[in-house]
Amino acid sequence: EHVISLVFLPRKAFLKNALMAILCRLIAYYSFSLRQDLREVFLKPKKRYNSYMFWLDRVFEQAQEQLKDKIASGKTLVIRDEKTASGRVHVGSMRALALHAAIAERLGEAGIPHVFKFEINDMDHMDGLPSYLDKAEYEQHMGKPLYAIPSPDGKAKNFAEYFGQEYIEAIRAAGFAPEFYRASELYLSGQMNG
């Protein structure tokens, strides 16, 4: 039903993001919705870490064991991921995000205080030129940090914001809600000084 309605959307970019969102939600669906159904329908009472145990349960139990003192203290756990904003979003970029989102949701299900943060890494230097960019215009920016390179559309604040915003839109369309921040915010404000 949802897929059919998306086919008739007029904007190609929105359709691309919507289809990516569907793929990411499928990943998330298998992580979130089916977990309990699989336990109830297919599994016999499980032994710790048996081959039938769902990966997320295994990771969760390992985290509970390794972080038991921090969890018992009520301290907030931080789940963090990042993406270098060096070009267009692809499905592979969403895989790690979906895995981290699954872990964050599992912590939430268990009532464990946590925060899910996502960094748009705009401090990396341009070390390759995507084929869809004008070589004559962008070759001169090789070696510069992504936040210091002009946006391809001339509207976004910089190169990293242009591609970072595309990624943020895809993340939101997929139904994930991390707290977003930029690496340059940390470095330029001195928060990363040791």
Side-chain angles (χ1 to χ4, degrees):
E1 178 177 310
H2 297 288
V3 175
I4 293 169
S5 66
L6 290 173
V7 172
F8 299 104
L9 293 173
R11 291 180 47 211
K12 186 177 180 181
F14 182 78
L15 178 60
K16 179 185 77 171
N17 286 342
L19 291 174
M20 184 175 298
I22 290 169
L23 289 173
C24 289
R25 283 322 280 171
L26 286 173
I27 292 168
Y29 177 77
Y30 285 105
S31 298
F32 309 148
S33 302
L34 286 181
R35 187 173 59 249
Q36 189 60 37
D37 295 340
L38 286 172
R39 279 190 199 130
E40 292 172 3
V41 176
F42 296 109
L43 300 181
K44 297 177 182 175
K46 63 183 182 197
K47 295 179 192 170
R48 188 168 171 85
Y49 306 124
N50 72 27
S51 62
Y52 298 105
M53 190 174 189
F54 190 71
W55 72 268
L56 184 56
D57 295 323
R58 194 173 349 193
V59 170
F60 177 71
E61 286 186 11
Q62 289 170 345
Q64 277 187 305
E65 180 62 31
Q66 292 173 10
L67 303 170
K68 63 184 168 195
D69 294 337
K70 189 169 186 175
I71 292 169
S73 74
K75 291 182 181 177
T76 300
L77 301 181
V78 177
I79 309 301
R80 186 195 160 280
D81 196 5
E82 70 175 76
K83 167 81 169 96
T84 298
S86 58
R88 299 243 178 262
V89 182
H90 55 83
V91 173
S93 303
M94 298 293 280
R95 180 183 178 273
L97 175 86
L99 297 176
H100 286 95
I103 292 166
E105 185 161 315
R106 181 65 183 94
L107 291 169
E109 289 172 355
I112 296 172
H114 69 283
V115 63
F116 179 24
K117 295 187 174 207
F118 192 88
E119 176 183 304
I120 300 296
N121 188 342
D122 57 356
M123 289 295 292
D124 271 0
H125 294 80
M126 181 180 271
D127 58 5
L129 192 61
S131 61
Y132 44 82
L133 292 178
D134 181 10
K135 184 177 180 179
E137 182 176 344
Y138 283 95
E139 195 167 46
Q140 64 184 317
H141 298 291
M142 295 298 282
K144 292 181 184 177
L146 297 170
Y147 78 88
I149 300 171
S151 168
D153 70 354
K155 297 176 187 172
K157 184 177 176 181
N158 55 52
F159 187 91
E161 275 304 307
Y162 177 79
F163 289 111
Q165 195 56 44
E166 181 181 272
Y167 195 52
I168 288 170
E169 289 172 15
I171 290 168
R172 288 182 176 148
F176 303 125
E179 293 179 14
F180 295 100
Y181 66 96
R182 278 51 174 185
S184 60
E185 296 167 358
L186 301 177
Y187 283 95
L188 298 177
S189 68
Q191 293 180 56
M192 297 299 283
N193 295 346

